């Protein structure tokens, strides 16, 4: 039996799965936590990977390894390959002003969408490089190479052989803001405009290509971003729309053509197979459930029971869950809001229901945006740590307006990375077929009134003070406030 390993280095944890290369059968797995915060020393990811590998029984018998990781994180290296400063993660919004500056300097949203398939927001790497140039010019001047979390971890697994060995794939490169999915080329002019100078970037590999091997001889796959790996792990194809409720919420679809949405709502990413992955991302997803559970002093099972005991619409209570700002819509400094409070709905059940519906309404807006870009919806797949919530499963089809298929609980990002590793071993134009059995379908009558009320309230929020370079990065609430925090699959 030939074994392959897949890694998911997410915002909250590192997960490792070891699977049979031919069938995809799970043989063993392990995990380890990551530190909280929106900036992290990449060394913490390497420690987490080492601990997760040990918990999974090691990699000595593994023939190939693939790494999937959170997208967009800014990892800057100096000429010696040392990390210049802690990495800014996708959910760090301090570069919101930099995003606005870059949009204006390069000709507006339409010009960006045409150039790289996306319009800069604080999540994307290019904006973090501009923030670095302006806020920490001495650090920016030391930058010799820029890479992403999965690039860096794959490079470290190879023994960090030199900056010229840095490699990435189409999927993760498409989330930087300086690589074009449509042309397959970097835009060094946009990178230099952001950073204030040139820097080395990883070589973009094909889907089944390898950048090398580990010192122990295991072949390394190209790796990819977490959303692309999740799509690969699900075996998603054209017509499949995945709704992932993890640390972030994502709605994405496999497509045969690149997207270029000048509104910036849909990010025109590439996928891990040579196709494309138009995607909408919200910053607030599973942790909305964590926060609601913490507010009510209950666990997630009880939160679901409460939500399902309340009527659709939560008695008129509407939660706009911008708990950490928001990316879609682009309101990086917004705060959450609760609307429609009355004596009759100030109950734990209505608050629980409003939390679930508010989370889902944001994702439903994302699904609408994909449809507007021409995406065909054949089926909707609900994945991520939040998909373990019974309330989310049962309420999702009513809010989204489609039957929802919930695949069996699995580490789909790590599984996709493992499938990519098997593909690198086998070669060929398509990845090996791994069967995905045991999915459950949920149906419910649509509740358009819930979305109408949400739409009337979603702009009625106030802003927090803008973060600056001296502000502490906000800690996540899940780990220390809820006994069983929801861990996500797609952290973009």
């Amino acid at each position: 039996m030939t074994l392959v390993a897949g890694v998911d280095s997410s915002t909250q944890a590192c997960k490792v799965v070891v699977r049979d290369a031919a069938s995809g059968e799970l043989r063993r797995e392990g995990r380890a936590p990551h530190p909280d915060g929106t900036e992290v020393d990449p060394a913490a990811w390497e420690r987490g990977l080492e601990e997760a590998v040990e918990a999974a029984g090691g990699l000595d018998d593994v023939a190939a390894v693939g790494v999937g990781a959170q997208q967009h994180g800014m990892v800057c290296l100096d000429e010696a390959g040392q990390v210049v400063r802690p990495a800014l993660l996708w959910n760090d919004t301090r570069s919101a002003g930099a995003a606005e500056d870059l949009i204006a300097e390069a000709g507006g949203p339409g010009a960006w969408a045409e150039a790289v398939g996306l319009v800069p927001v604080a999540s994307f790497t290019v904006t973090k490089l501009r923030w670095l140039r302006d806020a920490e010019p001495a650090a920016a001047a030391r930058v010799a190479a820029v890479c992403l979390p999965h690039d860096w971890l794959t490079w470290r697994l190879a023994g960090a052989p030199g900056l010229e060995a840095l490699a990435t794939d189409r999927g993760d490169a498409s989330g930087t803001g300086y690589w074009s999915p449509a042309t397959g080329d970097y835009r060094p002019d946009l990178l230099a405009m952001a950073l204030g100078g040139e820097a080395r970037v990883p070589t973009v590999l094909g889907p089944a290509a390898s950048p090398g091997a580990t010192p122990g001889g295991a072949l390394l796959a190209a790796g990819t971003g977490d959303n692309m790996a999740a799509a690969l792990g699900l075996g998603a194809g054209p017509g499949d729309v995945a709704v992932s409720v993890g640390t972030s919420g994502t709605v994405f679809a496999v497509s045969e053509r690149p997207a270029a949405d000048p509104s910036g709502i849909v990010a025109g990413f590439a996928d891990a197979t040579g196709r494309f992955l138009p995607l909408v991302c919200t910053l607030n997803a599973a942790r909305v459930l964590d926060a609601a559970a913490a507010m009510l002093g209950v666990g997630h099972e009880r939160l679901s029971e409460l939500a399902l005991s309340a009527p659709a619409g939560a008695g008129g209570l509407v939660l706009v869950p911008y708990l950490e700002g928001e990316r879609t819509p682009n309101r990086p400094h917004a705060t959450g809001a609760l609307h429609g409070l009355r004596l009759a709905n100030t109950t734990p059940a209505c608050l629980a229901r409003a939390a679930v519906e508010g989370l889902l309404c944001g994702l439903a807006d994302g699904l609408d945006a994909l449809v507007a870009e021409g995406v065909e919806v054949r089926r909707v797949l609900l994945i991520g740590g939040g998909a373990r919530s019974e309330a989310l499963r049962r309420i999702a089809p009513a809010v989204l307006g489609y039957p929802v298929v919930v695949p069996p609980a699995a580490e789909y990002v790590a599984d996709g990375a493992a499938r990519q590793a098997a593909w690198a071993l086998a070669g060929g134009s398509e990845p090996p077929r791994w069967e995905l059995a045991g999915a459950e379908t949920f149906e419910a009558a649509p509740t358009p009134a819930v979305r109408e009320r949400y739409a009337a309230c979603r702009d009625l929020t106030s802003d927090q003070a803008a973060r600056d370079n001296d502000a502490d990065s906000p800690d996540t609430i899940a780990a220390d406030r809820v006994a069983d925090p929801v861990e996500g699959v797609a952290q973009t």
Side-chain angles (χ1 to χ4, degrees), residues 76 126 129-130 132-133 140-141 143 146 190-199:
C76 294
V126 69
L129 291 173
R130 170 55 66 89
L132 184 68
R133 188 202 74 171
V143 175
V146 181
L190 297 179
L191 187 150
M193 182 176 69
L195 182 61
E198 297 180 353

Side-chain angles (χ1 to χ4, degrees), residues 192-241:
M193 182 176 69
L195 182 61
E198 297 180 353
R200 181 183 291 273
V201 288
T203 301
V204 179
L205 301 177
S210 168
T214 68
L219 186 73
L220 288 168
T224 193
D226 51 5
N227 293 295
M228 299 77 194
L232 193 57
L234 286 165
D240 290 333
V241 177

